[in-house]
Amino acid sequence: MRWLLLLASLMMSPLWALEGFPQAALQDDKTQEVKNYRLVLSGLKRNQATTYGEHERRLSGKLWRRVWAVEDRVQLDTVIDYYTQQLSDSQVLYQCRALDCGSNPFWANEIFRNARLGGREQNQFYRVALLEDPAKQEKTLYVLYIIERGSKQVMVNLDVLTTTDAVKEQADMNALIQQALVSSNGWLPGLVTDNGRINEQQSSALISYLKNLTPSMKRRLYLLVHYYDASHMSDNIQCSQRLAEQLRLATFDGQFELNIDGHGALTPAPDNSLQPALRFIFWPGR
């Protein structure tokens, strides 16, 4: 009888469902139509005692929200890996971890409206992932928030939002940049130059994203500009250093200056186009 009930529940589950962690008890499970779902796609800002996401979207659609309480003594990383592995085929629109996610009360009380998600800000994880179905013109968003409470218990909130609203179109470059920064090193998209100078208007998405990174990310992030167009290496190095200085000034937020240097053509171009390119590396925090 138990086997039949399990089979029936699996048959009724949507194909895009994620499995709950095996050692977790389901605390909440509800589905509802929403018209003003608040989707955060960036780091947080605070102004006049109000915390908010620098980039947010308000969406309508069908929301399926589940909340789990994981058994005691299960490691936070184990839970995070379990859910993120199920999202390996999706596009990451935004992700943060620990203090880079900012205020835990903001997520618990304002976004998910669940005081049980209160916990230690150094032990939190947030990811927005996207799957698209062109045949149905639908998008499925996975909004995952995992927090370790002061009692060491891990709580998981998973929102699955099915919507036809524009999501990726208005945040496309932000999504590509965020997806790149999930790695510890690589190439960043969004740098556009004209005649050896950064076109700040066409590079505005990249500049804005870098300017709005959290202070802890800025301290760990190192950027290298590579210029390839000149015939002599010394000219490539000189131009890349000029571009680096321009990008450093453009991304300065009045407090933190990014670590940016120019390395000319000393590293092969990422796509053989010989266009100016921006490489990054996150140096481990101490």
Side-chain angles (χ1 to χ4, degrees), residues 52-192:
Y52 57 93
E54 180 70 17
H55 300 289
E56 293 190 12
R57 299 278 289 125
R58 300 284 180 149
L59 303 173
S60 60
K62 187 174 183 178
L63 174 65
W64 182 23
R65 172 169 291 173
R66 286 180 290 170
V67 180
W68 292 273
V70 181
E71 289 182 6
D72 292 345
R73 295 183 296 278
V74 176
Q75 295 295 314
L76 176 65
D77 286 345
T78 302
V79 180
I80 292 174
D81 290 345
Y82 179 83
Y83 286 96
T84 56
Q85 285 175 9
Q86 294 185 70
L87 294 170
S88 59
D89 293 331
S90 61
Q91 180 183 6
V92 178
L93 299 186
Y94 180 69
Q95 176 177 299
C96 63
R97 184 163 184 171
L99 298 179
D100 289 336
C101 294
S103 167
N104 164 256
F106 170 80
W107 298 108
N109 301 326
E110 296 189 37
I111 298 301
F112 302 115
R113 300 185 182 279
N114 186 349
R116 290 175 293 176
L117 298 176
R120 300 176 176 181
E121 292 176 351
Q122 63 268 36
N123 294 327
Q124 59 183 336
F125 177 84
Y126 174 77
R127 173 182 281 192
V128 180
L130 172 68
L131 280 178
E132 297 184 86
D133 186 348
K136 295 183 179 180
Q137 296 184 335
E138 283 185 345
K139 308 169 187 69
T140 302
L141 286 161
Y142 299 86
V143 183
L144 176 67
Y145 184 71
I146 303 176
I147 181 74
E148 183 180 278
R149 295 173 57 85
S151 61
K152 296 291 187 179
Q153 182 182 48
V154 176
M155 298 290 296
V156 179
N157 185 105
L158 176 64
D159 285 357
V160 181
L161 179 70
T162 306
T163 181
T164 58
D165 290 351
V167 178
K168 182 180 173 183
E169 291 83 350
Q170 295 189 17
D172 193 32
M173 185 54 67
N174 284 335
L176 292 174
I177 295 170
Q178 170 59 32
Q179 191 170 29
L181 289 176
V182 169
S183 302
S184 60
N185 63 83
W187 297 93
L188 275 184
L191 180 68
V192 180

